[in-house]
Amino acid sequence: LSAGVCCCCAALRPRYKRLVDNIFPEDPKDGLVKADMEKLTFYAVSAPEKLDRIGAYLAERLSRDVVRHRYGYVLIAMEALDQLLMACHSQSIKPFVESFLHMVAKLLESGEPKLQVLGTNSFVKFANIEEDTPSYHRRYDFFVSRFSAMCHSRDPDPEIQNEIRIAGIRGIQGVVRKTVNDELRATIWEPQHMDKIVPSLLYNMQKIEDVDSRIGPLSSPTAGVKEENPSALAENCFRELLGRATYGNMNNAVRPVFAHLDHHRLWDPNEFAVSCFKIIMYSIQAQYSHHVIQEILRHLDDRKRDSPRVRAGIVQVLLEAVAIAAKGSIGPTVLEVFNTLLKHLRTSVDFELGDRRSSTESVTLSTSSKESDERIVQNAIIQTIGFFGSNLPDYQRSEIMMFIMSKVPVLGTTSHSLDPSNLGDLGIRRIQIMLLRSLLMVTSGYKATTISNALPAPFLDPLLSPSLMEDSELRQLVLEILHNIIDRHDNRAKLRGIRIIPDVSDLKIKRDKISRQDVSFMKKHGQQLYRHIYLGCKEEDNVQKNFELLFTSLALTTIELANEEVVIDLIRLAIALQDVAIINEDNLPMFNRCGVMALVAAYLNFLSQMIAVPAFCQHVSKVIETRSVEAAYFLPETIFKDKCNLPKSLEKEEKDLFFLTNKIAESLGGSGYNVERLSVPYVPQVTDEDRLSRRKSIVDTVSLQVDILSGTGAEDKVDNTEEITFEALKKAIDNNGLEEQEKEKRRLVIEKFQKAPFEEIAAQCETKANLLHDRLAQILELTIRPPPSPSGTMTITAGHAHYHSVPVYEMKFPDLCVY
């Protein structure tokens, strides 16, 4: 009877429960009853409104089996759930999904590793299902927390630990895929989720040994080995997460990386940090690269008080990120990168010098070690600046060159962002050297179409200002920067080292025809370059490298910027340098004097072969041969040896050892060169400050006119000064007395001022200014008498001529002032 009652009760139960019960065999080892499972699936598809009840009943049975440790039936229940999820896609599936997720959560909460793996596998299958409509109420906070905890499993059994970690990583990957495809995908990017997901992945990535797999772009784990490796699986999940990041949530995915690296002290050593950011830069979309760079800079600011090695590690990470980002879109962070790095460079120097000052009495090993660590920070910053700048487009690189140059501090002044007021001379020198080293790296490989674009006045003027400081290293850096900019055909390597080149054609120098822009540049700024080289040769602390760089500067200027006019100027410069060594007004040491002589010999030998004038080449070769026999210390191969016997004095009368202006002019004149200016000694161009401090006077202007219109001989100049009489002054005062001859003279004056180099005009005027001033003073003293009465008038007489008295304030010299 009882059996009949039981059968009746069973027959009265709802159909979905009977279908669910039938899929469970008596022995769980037999597995899911497939025939009954097909009936259950058909029923669920035919009556989707029953899905929520089917799900609730399956969840009830699964919870009971989990508590009773009947794991065989748990496996059957989850398999049935998976098949129902794959078969049913209707609006009514939403409640069923809730029951499914509830059952997965039950499995994940259990302490049995097999159940955790089973629940994870079911969730991954669910994550791959594309739902027709979004679920606005569903959240995955529990699953994020649970899967992240599984990623940190510390089970005593290594195999079980490995299995649980893999399940946790796959679960996180499933959550990411499910939420990204969902309309509510923004929830996964919230900081509370990213702070759990990202560190969990990084924790497993730390165990990886094969760093090569982390350098390249995104790759999918297809090999079975990678599937079983938590590190490789975590890396690919991390790549996938970053690849799905967008503009608004990029920072939320990157910031937990810094927290993880800080917490585990992975900046020193920073191999793992570098590999992490390589993954980030290769995985994200290229247009978002500047977000990562901004975050690194922000973190560098936050850790500015940390140890030098930590800061150096962050800077090196920035270098790697910049190296990848420079190939794509940098965005608006270019100046921000450089400005931040320059500030940290200033801070590092301040730390280094502060430690040095605090330990002046007792120098300890730790202090010296900290100073060396600060040097590591500084070198890392310089490398980052240089590498970043060298990978920028030319138009941006020009701006960065000017930006860095504007930050170079000068003694006695303050800089906008690098305030050197508290550093002292030593600190300023350190910053100058490091900024110039950075600028040297930025200009490396820079190919300017025209020199005027590469060396505009706002850049050239401050660049040359530290070139004459009393520091040979600073001058060397400035010369090397100029070489990077001027050398547009990669000829510098062929000119390395100062020497007498037997045959310049063997060097296979590459050059193009001088453009109009380059000719214009030399007319405007050529005198600045000449002055820099001239004064640079006169520094007492010059070493062999300084002379080598000066020789290269002259040679590159000849190759890239020299037309016939520039060639004459360079020869005048070389002869002036020879006179510096011979006359020695600056009391240079004998080594410097011989070094200058060797520099002039090496350069004129190079120049003569470049312009290929036989007579010029013959004169240069003859002087070099004579020196090799009688004064080998005037040649670079001898003077720059370690042990070289220097002469006690230089005999000025030994003209066979010197390059003579008259012979050079004679040789070049026969080849069509305009050699008139060779007779005018080279005089360095005065600076802007010198020009501003000079006041124009009538004496200056008259002397300029007389010099220009007169001949080159001294006797002619004296005769011209004698012709300045009162009658000439009277004609100049008379505005209506200008004749055609005076107009022609004025036209010649204007033309001369427009075309003649400044130093030529200055050289012609300097020697006669005093003579003309005295002569005019003598004339005026004879002709102007003091007023006879207090009426404020005076009488002008000249010889036997008398003029009416005129008020002093009415005397004007308008025509004279024109000159």
Side-chain angles (χ1 to χ4, degrees), residues 234-250:
E235 175 190 332
N236 283 276
C237 182
F238 188 52
R239 289 178 183 271
E240 183 177 351
L241 174 67
L242 294 170
R244 297 174 182 271
T246 59
Y247 180 86
N249 48 49
M250 175 61 63

Side-chain angles (χ1 to χ4, degrees), residues 703-749:
S703 63
L704 288 177
Q705 181 188 9
V706 173
D707 294 342
I708 294 171
L709 298 180
S710 63
T712 56
E715 295 179 358
D716 295 336
K717 296 177 184 178
V718 175
D719 293 338
N720 286 335
T721 56
E722 293 294 338
E723 292 177 1
I724 299 179
T725 60
F726 177 78
E727 295 297 333
L729 292 176
K730 176 176 175 295
K731 292 180 180 180
I733 295 174
D734 188 2
N735 293 328
N736 298 324
L738 293 176
E739 300 177 356
E740 293 298 326
Q741 184 178 2
E742 295 296 334
K743 293 181 180 180
E744 180 64 16
K745 288 182 179 181
R746 185 174 301 180
R747 188 187 65 80
L748 292 175
V749 170

Side-chain angles (χ1 to χ4, degrees), residues 15 38-51 87-88:
R15 185 181 179 186
E38 291 178 358
K39 295 179 182 179
L40 178 61
T41 304
F42 179 78
Y43 176 79
V45 173
S46 303
E49 67 277 2
K50 301 294 185 179
L51 271 175
C88 301

Side-chain angles (χ1 to χ4, degrees), residues 148-192:
S148 299
M150 293 170 62
C151 291
H152 294 82
S153 174
R154 293 182 176 271
D155 195 278
D157 189 346
E159 294 184 0
I160 296 178
Q161 174 182 304
N162 189 65
E163 188 177 6
I164 296 176
R165 287 189 179 187
I166 290 177
I169 297 170
R170 287 177 176 171
I172 289 177
Q173 194 172 27
V175 172
V176 172
R177 291 176 179 177
K178 190 63 178 176
T179 53
V180 166
N181 294 329
D182 199 350
E183 292 294 331
L184 295 181
R185 59 184 178 273
T187 57
I188 195 62
W189 299 106
E190 293 176 358
Q192 63 266 27

